[in-house]
Amino acid sequence: MPMNLETPVFVPGPLIGDAQRERMAALLFATSYLEYCSYGNRLRLPLVALQRRQNIDPFIAHSVGLFDASGQFNGFYTAATIAEFGQIKTVSYYRAEMHAMDAAYDAFIAAHARENDLFVASLAIEERYRGRGLFNVMLDHVKALARGKGSPRIVLTVWENSTAMGMYLNKDFRSRAVFDYAAELFFDRLHFMELLPSGESQ
């Protein structure tokens, strides 16, 4: 039965339960090329467990879970200003050969983002709930967050060959730069996308 989109429940990250955080890590793992990056990690953790340790838990204060009226976890997003993300102390547990790629990605973001941009680090919906308009619901929530923080742009990165690329383009996001560092490895390119406030030139 489709969810009643008039009654979504957004739950702040720190209040999201352990089981749902595990799902967040699994969704994140499934939406990018993280298998290659994660194997052989220094902690010898299972790959999804590594993603929770490295990319979910440290940022949980800036995550928001989406639940339906019956309490079912539907998806989540993680977003904060570039300045806010810069205050978070993180550790990479990837194997040593991945550090150059991480550094190149960080430099790419630094070159194109501004301190007060709202950066959407992740946005994912459980597969069984896709096609119900939840992307629009979550994006509207992200826009409200950006307005509340006074962010002039919403920015994110997305893989060119992903279904998400077309979804963001359809919502008036525009590609402003391309990260080619890993193109030969993944046969894909990562785009830096921006959404300007309504009425401003794209």
Side-chain angles (χ1 to χ4, degrees):
M1 177 180 294
M3 174 179 127
N4 180 353
L5 294 182
E6 295 181 357
T7 58
V9 179
F10 288 98
V11 176
L15 300 181
I16 296 174
D18 189 69
Q20 288 74 38
R21 294 189 192 193
E22 293 292 328
R23 288 303 308 152
M24 291 164 65
L27 285 169
L28 181 64
F29 185 77
T31 57
S32 193
Y33 298 103
L34 292 174
E35 182 172 4
Y36 176 85
C37 301
S38 301
Y39 80 82
N41 64 82
R42 294 191 289 120
L43 299 180
R44 299 183 180 179
L45 286 172
L47 305 192
V48 173
L50 174 71
Q51 290 309 313
R52 175 168 175 181
R53 176 74 172 268
Q54 182 161 305
N55 292 318
I56 296 296
D57 289 342
F59 306 100
I60 199 68
H62 298 294
S63 296
V64 177
L66 177 64
F67 294 76
D68 64 23
S70 66
Q72 295 298 308
F73 176 73
N74 290 179
F76 81 102
Y77 73 82
T78 300
T81 65
I82 293 292
E84 288 171 330
F85 276 131
Q87 295 173 3
I88 300 172
K89 302 299 182 182
T90 60
V91 177
S92 175
Y93 299 107
Y94 293 143
R95 62 192 185 279
E97 71 180 88
M98 300 308 303
H99 294 174
M101 184 185 299
D102 282 348
Y105 175 79
D106 289 345
F108 173 72
I109 297 300
H112 300 288
R114 306 162 191 157
E115 288 287 283
N116 56 353
D117 284 340
L118 185 77
F119 182 74
V120 182
S122 54
L123 188 156
I125 299 168
E126 290 277 18
E127 186 172 2
R128 64 184 178 277
Y129 295 114
R130 294 172 191 170
R132 303 185 182 187
L134 296 181
F135 176 75
N136 295 332
V137 172
M138 295 179 78
L139 186 57
D140 285 345
H141 204 261
V142 169
K143 290 177 180 178
L145 179 64
R147 289 193 297 269
K149 291 180 178 291
S151 295
R153 298 190 302 173
I154 297 171
V155 298
L156 52 86
T157 57
V158 64
W159 291 100
E160 184 173 283
N161 293 333
S162 68
T163 56
M165 181 76 176
M167 295 171 69
Y168 284 114
L169 288 171
N170 286 338
K171 295 300 178 182
D172 296 323
F173 280 81
R174 294 293 178 266
S175 176
R176 291 306 185 211
V178 179
F179 183 62
D180 282 322
Y181 186 97
E184 293 184 2
L185 181 63
F186 300 133
F187 301 99
D188 207 348
R189 306 189 307 162
L190 194 67
H191 287 251
F192 180 89
M193 310 283 286
E194 71 170 7
L195 177 67
L196 297 175
S198 297
E200 292 193 17
S201 173
Q202 295 288 328

